[in-house]
Amino acid sequence: MPKSSLSELVIVANRLPVDRVVDADGEVHWHTSPGGLVTALEPVIRAAKGAWVGWPGAADIELEQFEVDGMTLIPMTLSASDVALYYEGFSNDTIWPLYHDVIAPPRYRRVWWEAYERVNRRFAEAAAAATAPGGTIWVHDYQLQLVPRMVRNLRPDVTIGYFHHIPFPAYGLYSQLPWRRQVLDGLLGADVIGFQRVADAGNFLQAVRRQLPYPTHKSRVTVTDTNGIDRSVTVKPFPISIDVAEYQAIAKRPDVMARAAEIREELGHPRAILLGVDRLDYTKGIRHRLKAFGELLEDEDLSVTDATLVQVASPSRERVAAYMQLRDEIELTVGRINGIFDTTGHTAIRYLHHSYPRDEMVAMYLAADVMLVTALRDGMNLVAKEYVAARGSNGGVLVLSEFAGAADQLQGALLINPHDIDGMKEAIMAAIDMPHAEQTRRMRAMQRRLKRDDVAAWAEAFLHELHSHVREHNE
Ligand code: GDG
């Protein structure tokens, strides 16, 4: 890259923030995907003439770097074997289950680890080559845990941040990882390491104390680099959020409100619509949710005219065996429950194995009286925050797992332990029966907090910490 086009700020994430769109003439275009991360980072990236290093999402795509909405995108090519070993293997079949409290058994395979190292190195090299002298590199998530150290070795002049979107497990589980020291050392290449929850940061610090000879004090680790020089690393929680104003605005649009009314009508106007929106993932507690709802119908606490559960389960990681098995189990359970309880006019569970446009998701949030977020373990869970933002003054009840990071901020929810099926059943009934005044009181409190702590505030807090860390340690 010519020196003049080097960037002051480079984001490194597994995925580029764009979707590939093929128009009627067969021409390929790239549109920024409307995720919260892009929205939050777009203004900062634009101001810094920033770049984003990532994978376009399909194997063997070779692309030159290109510009979208004032951002330079630097696409990384992954071969079919890289996808199978680094992405589906080590990232999604080793780290993902291990870091989510081994809900599914993690598989430890040396060829996957070797591919993970190899691909992390290529991301690090691309980021190092794109960054201006003294610039900033912000690495995202569990697919790229080795990148901070690799970048530091290549570019000791740059400031490096890392944000971890998923949980960091307790030491007793983390210690299973055959490459536990290498991963900690990879992360400690950063100046600031951000986690979702206080507990995640605590687990990480505990793992460092048990595995590495570096002293820790409060939220600091003193790392001795290979050059013998001591360096301080800050480890802190930065709970991520959503673009609250954007969700509020969509929810107020007449077409979206009309669509919400239409959804209620299509479902036959049950007394209560319950909603679940998740990637089809074993961490999300979809089976536990179905079990609780099925038992409420069986016990005759509810009937299909009282309540319908709409479950959006968007397709995810479909080539990983644990996900194929989960899909079979969920579809079997939904079929059983519907077979027993459906009538010609009403369904117990409307199961939707699709992805929807964001407007349609917001219409569903508006149509739903009760939102069920029953994750067994979840870094944050943005769906919970989106529901709260979209509701405005319409009331509605959020039933939220205490094992989702969002539970730390959304205290007005009915908090549950999803392993306790009886407790979940009670919370669902309490949600359905909650007086409207109490619903709005709880919603308002959550909305106030959410408005203050939106995704822009999150990005600002992280970058502020990163820059003050550097000032403190260079003076
Ligand atoms: C990881 C962590 C952490 C889902 N289906 C559709 C759709 N979605 C959108 C939701 C939401 C996002 O996807 C999912 O975010 P979550 O936070 O709920 O969960 P993960 O995908 O597991 O995300 C998580 C997050 O990273 C951020 O740090 O919170 O803990 O696991 O925005 O609305 N969007 C559309 N159609 C769908 O069918 N348009």
Side-chain angles (χ1 to χ4, degrees):
M1 210 192 248
K3 240 199 164 80
S4 59
S5 60
L6 293 179
S7 299
E8 292 297 333
L9 173 65
V10 175
I11 307 293
V12 192
N14 176 59
R15 282 295 302 272
L16 282 177
V18 282
D19 295 322
R20 190 166 179 266
V21 182
V22 185
D23 69 15
D25 308 329
E27 229 180 282
V28 173
H29 301 274
W30 296 89
H31 293 177
T32 42
S33 23
L37 196 57
V38 203
T39 326
L41 296 177
E42 224 176 353
V44 221
I45 294 179
R46 214 184 299 224
K49 292 204 175 14
W52 189 308
V53 176
W55 173 47
D60 294 310
I61 295 192
E62 303 219 4
L63 282 176
E64 291 297 317
Q65 71 175 61
F66 59 105
E67 305 272 321
V68 172
D69 298 343
M71 247 192 302
T72 304
L73 301 185
I74 304 177
M76 301 296 300
T77 304
L78 294 188
S79 67
S81 140
D82 291 335
V83 175
L85 306 177
Y86 144 80
Y87 181 66
E88 292 167 347
F90 197 80
S91 299
N92 288 331
D93 218 359
T94 304
I95 295 293
W96 180 270
L98 178 65
Y99 283 25
H100 288 87
D101 291 356
V102 305
I103 296 166
R107 294 167 66 204
Y108 303 114
R109 295 194 53 197
R110 284 164 288 183
V111 281
W112 290 356
W113 164 253
E114 285 156 16
Y116 185 79
E117 270 190 304
R118 206 167 49 238
V119 173
N120 270 240
R121 193 167 305 284
R122 285 180 33 226
F123 274 75
E125 284 165 356
T131 311
T136 300
I137 296 184
W138 188 1
V139 183
H140 287 264
D141 224 1
Y142 67 102
Q143 302 92 349
L144 300 173
Q145 294 171 101
L146 307 179
V147 169
R149 169 67 61 195
M150 290 169 171
V151 166
R152 181 162 297 282
N153 291 344
L154 292 165
R155 289 291 304 272
D157 60 302
V158 304
T159 303
I160 305 165
Y162 171 89
F163 184 74
H164 193 76
H165 291 252
I166 69 172
F168 196 90
Y171 180 71
L173 294 174
Y174 182 74
S175 57
Q176 285 185 10
L177 185 66
W179 307 279
R180 57 198 183 187
R181 278 206 191 99
Q182 292 95 313
V183 168
L184 294 176
D185 185 60
L187 292 168
L188 287 169
D191 295 292
V192 173
I193 305 176
F195 291 96
Q196 301 276 29
R197 303 184 91 164
V198 176
D200 299 318
N203 288 342
F204 174 78
L205 288 167
Q206 170 75 346
V208 169
R209 282 193 286 273
R210 298 293 291 265
Q211 285 297 325
L212 296 171
Y214 304 140
T216 64
H217 179 65
K218 295 189 178 154
S219 58
R220 292 285 165 89
V221 184
T222 307
V223 176
T224 310
D225 282 337
T226 41
N227 55 13
I229 296 173
D230 282 355
R231 191 168 54 80
S232 174
V233 178
T234 300
V235 176
K236 276 174 73 169
F238 296 90
I240 200 168
S241 192
I242 58 164
D243 185 348
V244 177
E246 175 77 12
Y247 275 87
Q248 285 174 332
I250 300 175
K252 282 193 188 132
R253 270 174 29 204
D255 58 324
V256 175
M257 291 197 290
R259 176 65 192 135
E262 195 174 81
I263 291 171
R264 290 195 75 95
E265 172 129 13
E266 284 170 1
L267 292 167
H269 282 298
R271 189 157 71 86
I273 294 175
L274 317 182
L275 175 66
V277 172
D278 313 82
R279 280 187 304 99
L280 207 164
D281 195 295
Y282 48 77
T283 60
K284 304 291 182 183
I286 303 170
R287 281 178 311 189
H288 295 62
R289 191 181 310 166
L290 296 178
K291 188 165 182 55
F293 185 64
E295 285 189 16
L296 286 171
L297 292 170
E298 203 175 299
D299 304 344
E300 295 183 4
D301 286 324
L302 289 177
S303 75
V304 290
T305 49
D306 289 331
T308 292
L309 169 60
V310 177
Q311 177 62 55
V312 177
S314 37
S316 183
R317 304 175 192 168
E318 295 188 292
R319 298 189 332 164
V320 178
Y323 288 74
M324 296 178 200
Q325 196 191 332
L326 175 74
R327 183 175 171 191
D328 287 347
E329 286 169 10
I330 287 176
E331 293 182 357
L332 191 73
T333 309
V334 170
R336 277 208 183 126
I337 295 176
N338 281 347
I340 297 170
F341 298 105
D342 277 10
T343 62
T344 48
H346 291 276
T347 188
I349 303 167
R350 182 61 54 86
Y351 167 75
L352 305 161
H353 186 244
H354 308 290
S355 274
Y356 289 95
R358 191 162 52 161
D359 293 358
E360 178 74 2
M361 303 294 311
V362 175
M364 288 196 214
Y365 292 148
L366 277 181
D369 305 288
V370 178
M371 184 80 211
L372 299 177
V373 176
T374 60
L376 305 175
R377 183 55 80 190
D378 213 334
M380 177 53 60
N381 197 291
L382 297 180
V383 166
K385 294 190 171 180
E386 290 164 6
Y387 179 71
V388 170
R391 295 302 299 178
S393 53
N394 294 312
V397 185
L398 174 65
V399 174
L400 175 61
S401 165
E402 62 190 67
F403 301 118
D408 291 349
Q409 290 104 52
L410 302 178
Q411 300 278 328
L414 296 182
L415 293 179
I416 55 149
N417 166 7
H419 298 282
D420 171 11
I421 300 296
D422 286 336
M424 191 179 342
K425 285 162 67 180
E426 280 166 26
I428 292 173
M429 292 310 294
I432 292 174
D433 294 333
M434 188 183 286
H436 200 264
E438 186 178 349
Q439 295 183 21
T440 39
R441 187 176 54 71
R442 286 168 176 265
M443 266 302 161
R444 286 229 176 88
M446 292 194 281
Q447 287 165 345
R448 266 198 300 277
R449 170 95 192 252
L450 206 54
K451 228 169 159 176
R452 192 188 65 205
D453 298 336
D454 70 353
V455 75
W458 167 81
E460 204 183 300
F462 187 91
L463 289 169
H464 177 79
E465 182 71 43
L466 195 53
H467 294 134
S468 57
H469 176 98
V470 171
R471 266 198 307 281
E472 196 180 317
H473 294 279
N474 289 343
E475 273 161 13

